[in-house]
Amino acid sequence: MLLNKERRIKYLGFNDLLFLCIGILVLSFLTDFLFNNSFARFPLGEALLNWSASLFFTICNWLIIRPVIILLRKYYPDFKDDVKRLVLLFLAIIATVILVDVLGNRLLSFIFDKNYRPISSSRVIVPVIVISTMTLAIYEAIYYNIRLKKSIREEEQAKQILIQARLDALRNQAQPHFLFNTLNTLRDIIDQNSKEDAKQFVDKLADVYRFILESGNANLISLQDEVKFAKAYIHIQSERFGDNLNVFWNIPTNALHTMIVPMSLQLLLENAIKHNVISKTKPLEVRVEVNENQLIVTNKVQPKSTKIPSTKVGLKNIEKRYALITDRPLAIQNEENQFIVSLPLLKVSDQKNNYALTDH
């Protein structure tokens, strides 16, 4: 770790080799000045010997506490863990300073015998703990600043992708063929059905656009809201395709409070409709169900003879948003006659590094 630049940067946030070398020298001279003032009181040879003892203790303290910092950051990397990590680090500093003082003095007494006169521990321990804490606080300040910048950057990326998804969804629903089909369907309903059916169709169409416009910049929404939006979208498509489009819902009530990336379910349903044949001879079946804390969307694969060019809305967008928000990825299975996508159902606490909860 000490000689590996990449690992130093990964766990400490910066290349601390120069900081470590200069810090050890500065602290060793400072410690000697506070407790011995050797270079003012003794000849150069004796002063160097006294200073070397301070250098020895400083090196031991620093090289023991430094791996503890790295270990704590591995186990407690999030903003919510800062207080716990800092308390444990402070306790580690106290334990290290006491242990190094006791064992170090015994070792130096054994080596130099009567020529070594240790300073009383009661004079040394508290000031050294304070100095060590203040010095290692620099590590924490740099670490916090780097994490904060990364958190802001990730949040901005998530917002940009979400905004792009909303714009793409609006564009897709505003495409001429969608409006043409929707208006034709509405006209047929007016001609053949009751006024209530026409009003319900218009209400569902309004729900689709309202949800897209009102979803805002939220990184996550409740599954209940997403399902309501998806059902409004399917209602519109069902008026067009009739019994040739069948969506089976199996979502338990206790799953509705979980969270999901906005418009992810609707985009999967839209892709299934867009890329597969839907006819009386080949009705399209889509299943939406919850299993093991995942929302699973399965559709029959019956590709159209002429492929529709992709608008890049769908899986790639959903994957990017999930990757930015959580460490739990979605799963995609493209089997011979079934296409299955599993979306993780999340809690607010599942968000990566809690960046969405950080007050920037």
Side-chain angles (χ1 to χ4, degrees):
M1 173 65 75
L2 191 60
L3 301 177
N4 189 314
K5 180 179 177 181
E6 290 183 1
R7 296 188 68 189
R8 288 200 302 274
I9 294 174
K10 177 180 178 182
Y11 292 111
L12 296 173
F14 70 110
N15 184 3
D16 76 324
L17 192 58
L18 181 62
F19 176 68
L20 182 147
C21 295
I22 294 175
I24 287 176
L25 287 174
V26 170
L27 286 187
S28 63
F29 278 112
L30 178 62
T31 305
D32 178 78
F33 173 77
L34 290 175
F35 300 115
N36 283 322
N37 197 10
S38 300
F39 291 94
R41 295 172 54 203
F42 305 113
L44 182 60
E46 189 174 348
L48 287 173
L49 188 62
N50 285 336
W51 168 74
S52 65
S54 296
L55 179 64
F56 168 75
F57 284 110
T58 304
I59 290 173
C60 290
N61 284 326
W62 198 304
L63 295 186
I64 291 174
I65 296 172
R66 184 174 176 274
V68 173
I69 293 176
I70 294 170
L71 185 66
L72 290 174
R73 289 179 184 179
K74 285 182 180 179
Y75 284 100
Y76 305 104
D78 294 342
F79 284 109
K80 66 180 181 180
D81 299 322
D82 280 356
V83 173
K84 184 187 296 184
R85 191 183 68 257
L86 292 175
V87 169
L88 291 174
L89 177 59
F90 183 65
L91 294 176
I93 291 172
I94 295 174
T96 300
V97 169
I98 294 173
L99 187 65
V100 168
D101 181 74
V102 172
L103 298 181
N105 280 323
R106 289 187 180 182
L107 178 62
L108 294 178
S109 296
F110 176 78
I111 294 174
F112 296 104
D113 197 17
K114 296 180 181 179
N115 293 323
Y116 178 69
R117 297 185 299 275
I119 304 172
S120 171
S121 296
S122 59
R123 286 184 54 205
V124 171
I125 288 178
V126 173
V128 171
I129 288 174
V130 173
I131 293 171
S132 299
T133 302
M134 292 174 64
T135 304
L136 294 171
I138 298 174
Y139 274 112
E140 285 300 317
I142 294 172
Y143 181 56
Y144 181 86
N145 186 54
I146 289 171
R147 284 185 306 150
L148 186 59
K149 287 181 178 179
K150 181 181 178 183
S151 170
I152 294 172
R153 185 167 59 250
E154 287 182 343
E155 186 174 3
E156 288 304 316
Q157 289 175 350
K159 285 181 178 179
Q160 288 173 10
I161 292 175
L162 178 58
I163 291 169
Q164 187 62 46
R166 293 172 63 219
L167 292 174
D168 288 338
L170 284 170
R171 187 179 67 241
N172 276 1
Q173 309 312 329
Q175 284 179 357
H177 75 267
F178 177 83
L179 291 176
F180 177 79
N181 291 329
T182 302
L183 292 173
N184 273 346
T185 302
L186 179 58
R187 180 175 179 177
D188 290 340
I189 293 173
I190 293 172
D191 288 341
Q192 301 172 19
N193 302 79
S194 66
K195 185 187 293 186
E196 287 302 315
D197 290 337
K199 287 175 62 178
Q200 186 180 16
F201 181 86
V202 172
D203 288 342
K204 294 297 183 183
L205 183 60
D207 285 343
V208 168
Y209 283 100
R210 186 182 299 113
F211 179 88
I212 296 172
L213 293 171
E214 293 181 354
S215 60
N217 290 328
N219 295 318
L220 295 173
I221 62 168
S222 70
L223 179 59
Q224 183 173 3
D225 289 340
E226 179 71 13
V227 168
K228 180 181 177 182
F229 168 52
K231 285 184 175 180
Y233 172 77
I234 289 298
H235 179 88
I236 295 170
Q237 299 297 339
S238 295
E239 292 292 345
R240 175 186 170 195
F241 294 107
D243 294 336
N244 301 327
L245 174 62
N246 299 303
V247 180
F248 302 97
W249 304 87
N250 183 16
I251 301 177
T253 305
N254 61 359
L256 293 175
H257 69 279
T258 56
M259 311 294 282
I260 193 172
V261 167
M263 294 182 291
S264 53
L265 174 56
Q266 184 270 337
L267 287 172
L268 293 179
L269 295 171
E270 182 178 328
N271 281 351
I273 293 170
K274 183 165 60 175
H275 295 295
N276 290 283
V277 173
I278 304 176
S279 65
K280 189 171 293 186
T281 56
K282 283 190 174 182
L284 179 65
E285 292 184 0
V286 183
R287 294 188 177 275
V288 182
E289 56 190 336
V290 171
N291 187 21
E292 295 183 355
N293 210 26
Q294 290 187 319
L295 183 68
I296 303 172
V297 181
T298 307
N299 66 268
K300 290 171 64 177
V301 176
Q302 38 199 51
K304 297 179 178 179
S305 56
T306 55
K307 291 187 177 181
I308 298 175
S310 173
T311 57
K312 296 183 180 179
V313 176
L315 286 177
K316 185 177 290 188
N317 183 286
I318 299 170
E319 281 183 308
K320 285 183 179 179
R321 283 192 284 159
Y322 263 105
L324 287 169
I325 292 171
T326 180
D327 292 321
R328 295 178 57 193
L330 65 159
I332 302 169
Q333 295 174 260
N334 193 357
E335 299 177 356
E336 185 176 347
N337 55 6
Q338 279 192 327
F339 189 75
I340 305 169
V341 180
S342 300
L343 301 176
L345 295 176
L346 306 172
K347 300 176 182 177
V348 173
S349 58
D350 289 329
Q351 294 184 86
K352 188 187 295 182
N353 293 329
N354 285 334
Y355 70 86
L357 301 180
T358 305
D359 182 4
H360 300 312

